[in-house]
Amino acid sequence: MSAAYATTLGRTRHTFASLRELLGKATPRRSGDELAGLAAASAEERAAAQSCLADVPLAEFLRTPLIPYETDEVTRLIFDTHNLQAFAPVAGLTVGQFRDWLLRYETDDATLAALAPGLTPEMVAAVSKLMGNQDLILVAAKRRVVTSFRNTLGLTGRLSVRLQPNHPTDDPHGIAASIADGLLYGCGDAVIGINPATDSVPAVETLLRLLDDLIHRYGIPTQSCVLAHVTTTLQAMQRGAPVDLVFQSIAGTQAANQSFGVSLALLGEAHAATLALRRGTVGDNVMYFETGQGSCLSAGAHHGVDQQTCEVRAYAVARAFRPLLINTVVGFIGPEYLYDGKQIIRAGLEDHFCGKLLGLPMGCDVCYTNHAEADQDDMDTLLTLLGVAGCNFIMGVPGADDIMLGYQSTSFHDSHYLRQVLGLRPAPEFEAWLESMRIVSGGRQLLPISADHALLRAAPQK
């Protein structure tokens, strides 16, 4: 096996005992892989691994599961749903040749859409390790993944925003104030999504009814979500709560998902139950997933696979349930996994590229924790790069500072910056509502808001 993964740089012969080891050592430097003992020992070894990886046939990933089929349901999902016919156009390519194929002029959105069912996460992770940041941006920008529920997300020339009005005590007045603030900046078309401070059924139901009342009172063409555990949301549904989207954090191995208290069967149950409510008006994409590099490693459930490849395996889980939104919370887990701004920027571009290549509606929480070697300038850089790459949505957090979760993200006005500089607009149905409410003009220009604006007169219902 080692002979199959070997190369010589200068006078040094580099060998890699397995495809799993090769992928880990070919990964651009990050603290999580170093923590796990999976990273290259030097820049030379990393270059050797990347050179060796470039010569690996894509078909090798169909013969060599990184995590055994018999013991991991995510591996079984990947192999059982792989479409050989869709894979055919690239079946004879190596990883390096696949990179070149992706960068061709002829490889357009339709070509990538047709290919997506034929790609496995491991193939996509592998090619990303050979790509520079500009390569990741260029290929991702070709791909548009459109989803819908009460509005249409992911269209060309559009950028959506999750309005994130979290409150440390779930106070309805504080949440309503943040929602009004975000709506008046033109945010909220991706979803109005609250991380509840208390993951109890009554608390979640209260927040769901608050959001449902607001959306219907003002006729807002968007969807709501309370980001509780999937089992809590199912119980709220059984009590008649108005659930638009079901949320769940997911990961790329069965063991990591078990640490989150979920399985593929449970996600399937939630998907079916939410579809049965038929609350969408223009579409039926009803799932919202969040992921993040390092989640498998932090759970001790990575099986010796590097954190970026584990992350992309989570996208196979998401793809099985046709989500409206999938969001990589890129810098949230901390510097143990992504040490500084440079690593966070790289990871955000990788995640977005890999998700888009697999056919997912990728968003990104452009974020960091206060003990990471990063600052808001790094986030401005990643925000701009993701906008150029065609990211479906970003976060809108009051002041970019989530006072409940205790991390730094992007603000309402950050999305306004990105829409201005790149000529992007909100989802079309939401844009029409913003125009009718005299919040924006021409899709992007914010209008002055008087104190008697209808949204500022709103009072939350306790």
Side-chain angles (χ1 to χ4, degrees), residues 137 349 366 377-391 394 410 414 417-418 421-422 424:
I137 294 167
L349 295 177
V366 180
D377 285 340
D378 295 316
M379 299 306 103
D380 287 349
T381 298
L382 178 53
L383 173 70
T384 305
L385 295 174
L386 285 169
V388 175
C391 190
I394 60 168
T410 45
D414 288 338
Y417 145 74
L418 202 57
V421 76
L422 296 178
L424 303 171

Side-chain angles (χ1 to χ4, degrees), residues 96-119:
Q97 290 169 336
F98 183 42
R99 172 191 176 273
D100 295 341
W101 185 91
L102 289 170
L103 293 168
R104 296 187 317 168
Y105 292 119
E106 297 83 2
T107 304
D108 57 12
D109 182 39
T111 304
L112 292 173
L115 177 66
L119 296 177

Side-chain angles (χ1 to χ4, degrees), residues 133-172:
N133 286 0
Q134 65 177 241
D135 299 333
L136 298 173
I137 294 167
L138 175 60
V139 176
K142 297 180 182 186
R143 185 73 174 98
R144 306 306 309 185
V145 181
V146 179
T147 56
S148 58
F149 187 76
R150 288 201 189 97
N151 57 29
T152 308
L153 305 173
L155 295 167
T156 300
R158 306 281 174 170
L159 172 73
S160 296
V161 185
R162 171 189 160 189
L163 202 170
Q164 185 170 309
N166 295 344
H167 192 280
T169 64
D170 288 341
D171 179 72

Side-chain angles (χ1 to χ4, degrees), residues 44-57:
E44 178 181 318
E45 186 180 28
R46 183 174 300 109
Q50 290 172 341
S51 176
C52 193
L53 181 61
D55 292 331
V56 173

Side-chain angles (χ1 to χ4, degrees), residues 18 43 84 171 199 207 227 246 269 311 329 333 352 355 365 436:
S18 66
L84 278 172
D171 179 72
D199 194 356
L207 294 176
L227 282 69
V246 168
E269 178 187 347
E311 168 73 3
V329 192
I333 302 182
H352 178 254
D365 191 341
S436 72

Side-chain angles (χ1 to χ4, degrees), residues 180-234:
D181 189 20
L183 291 171
L184 293 174
Y185 269 103
C187 300
D189 50 343
V191 64
I192 303 176
I194 303 171
N195 295 88
T198 303
D199 194 356
S200 71
V201 176
V204 167
E205 187 173 358
T206 296
L207 294 176
L208 284 167
R209 294 194 183 282
L210 184 154
L211 293 174
D212 188 62
D213 175 73
L214 181 72
I215 286 171
H216 286 92
R217 193 190 318 177
Y218 294 98
I220 308 172
T222 191
Q223 38 282 329
S224 68
C225 185
V226 175
L227 282 69
H229 192 270
V230 62
T231 54
T232 305
T233 306
L234 279 169

